[in-house]
Amino acid sequence: MLAPATQVKTPKTENPLAFDVENMKHAVKQGELGLSEGGVPIGAALVDSKGAVIGVGRNRRVQQGSATRHGETDCLELIGRLPASVYKDCTMYTTLSPCTMCSGAMILYGIKRCVMGENETFVGGEGVLQAHGVEVVNLDLDSCKTLMKTFIKQSPEIWNEDIGEE
Amino acid sequence: MLAPATQVKTPKTENPLAFDVENMKHAVKQGELGLSEGGVPIGAALVDSKGAVIGVGRNRRVQQGSATRHGETDCLELIGRLPASVYKDCTMYTTLSPCTMCSGAMILYGIKRCVMGENETFVGGEGVLQAHGVEVVNLDLDSCKTLMKTFIKQSPEIWNEDIGEE
Ligand SMILES: [Ca+2]
Ligand SMILES: [Ca+2]
Ligand SMILES: [Zn+2]
Ligand SMILES: [Zn+2]
């Protein structure tokens, strides 16, 4: 990444909602599927305020040779076209701090909450999200950290490519 | 969009580089193709510092039912996987001020310049780009404004969907 605007690293959210802990499992499952495919193991799920899963997605850099299908954008792409009102009632769950592209996609569509699994491996656009009024929650889950540690140890060059680093 | 962080609307760049005016034609062509397909007429081109076109793309909301293929992201997706060094030598040309998603994609990959056709129709993530050190140029082209005006008059609801508005 370019020298970022002031980096914001959301601290672990104490006493997270059971609703968020429960819904994160959909995103974690996608990350696990990605790892089993040899892909960057980041998953996402878009869930409405009643807990209905609108869609799920995972990073497809390896699987599809994709430069733009991160967990969150893959989720939004697989869902397809939606009116703005649906997004505004949703939370994006993602196993890792969302990069600037994915943060920008959430802002574009007015997604008002973002719940991440962890931000120890990578810190993305949390500051941009917060500047645009998005609520950011960090569950700080060991399971999500382990997924990334396993992958980065195996394939550091793919991970660097995914975050625009060399 | 959510209430944005301080909106930045780049003024028309006086005396733009002939290099930029010339390269914008690749993006405009994509926008025109999009219009002919009934799509949102926004095009993009990624061009290196020698003027080689690395790739082009256009908004595919209508054509592919896509929620994430804007001009710039379609361009990055069609190009496929690249090492960071290639992006860092490139300028992204786009017929319209890039939304927050596309701005975030440029920041992610370290694209250091963004040249837009206009920002009268829409103002996207120019402030986010500038905060991350990206050079932003506004050619303020009537041809680009006319493309958008024609489309928005025909299909205002599709345009609102594309920018997350209702
Ligand atoms: Ca679709
Ligand atoms: Ca590809
Ligand atoms: Zn991302
Ligand atoms: Zn965009």
Side-chain angles (χ1 to χ4, degrees), chain A residues 18-28 30 43-57 72 75-76 79 82 85-94 106 110-115:
Chain A
F19 180 85
D20 287 339
V21 173
E22 177 67 13
N23 284 322
M24 180 58 78
K25 74 179 176 195
H26 308 301
V28 170
Q30 291 292 312
L46 189 70
V47 180
D48 80 6
S49 62
K50 298 275 175 27
V53 174
I54 307 301
V56 296
E72 304 90 324
C75 177
L76 294 171
I79 291 168
L82 287 176
S85 57
V86 179
Y87 297 112
K88 291 187 200 320
D89 185 46
C90 285
T91 296
M92 179 66 83
Y93 293 87
T94 177
M106 290 181 235
I111 295 168
K112 289 211 162 43
R113 301 184 72 236
C114 173
V115 178

Side-chain angles (χ1 to χ4, degrees), chain A residues 88 106-113 129 131-135, chain B residues 1-5 163-165:
Chain A
K88 291 187 200 320
M106 290 181 235
I107 293 164
L108 171 66
Y109 286 122
I111 295 168
K112 289 211 162 43
R113 301 184 72 236
L129 285 174
H132 286 78
V134 179
E135 181 190 357
Chain B
M1 265 201 293
L2 290 174
I163 56 172
E165 301 279 1

Side-chain angles (χ1 to χ4, degrees), chain A residues 77-81, chain B residues 64-67:
Chain A
E77 182 65 13
L78 292 177
I79 291 168
R81 294 172 56 180
Chain B
Q64 297 188 11
S66 175

Side-chain angles (χ1 to χ4, degrees), chain A residues 11-22 113 115 135-141:
Chain A
K12 173 178 181 167
T13 301
E14 301 297 336
N15 307 312
L17 299 172
F19 180 85
D20 287 339
V21 173
E22 177 67 13
R113 301 184 72 236
V115 178
E135 181 190 357
V136 179
V137 171
N138 176 14
L139 298 181
D140 192 44
L141 298 174

Side-chain angles (χ1 to χ4, degrees), chain B residues 12 18 21 31 52 61-62 64 66 68 70 79 89-90 92 98 105 109 112 120 124-125 127 130 137 144:
Chain B
K12 174 178 181 165
V21 173
R61 174 170 297 276
V62 171
Q64 297 188 11
S66 175
T68 68
H70 282 188
I79 290 168
D89 185 46
C90 286
M92 180 66 83
Y109 285 121
K112 289 211 161 41
E120 209 174 86
Q130 292 182 10
V137 172
C144 293

Side-chain angles (χ1 to χ4, degrees), chain A residues 97-147:
Chain A
S97 177
C99 81
T100 49
M101 172 177 68
C102 296
S103 298
M106 290 181 235
I107 293 164
L108 171 66
Y109 286 122
I111 295 168
K112 289 211 162 43
R113 301 184 72 236
C114 173
V115 178
M116 72 185 73
E118 60 115 343
N119 63 4
E120 208 174 86
T121 305
F122 172 78
V123 178
E126 297 170 39
V128 177
L129 285 174
Q130 292 182 10
H132 286 78
V134 179
E135 181 190 357
V136 179
V137 171
N138 176 14
L139 298 181
D140 192 44
L141 298 174
D142 286 337
S143 58
C144 293
K145 294 177 200 174
T146 300
L147 268 176

Side-chain angles (χ1 to χ4, degrees), chain A residues 8 52 64-65 96 151:
Chain A
V8 172
Q64 296 189 10
L96 182 64
F151 180 78

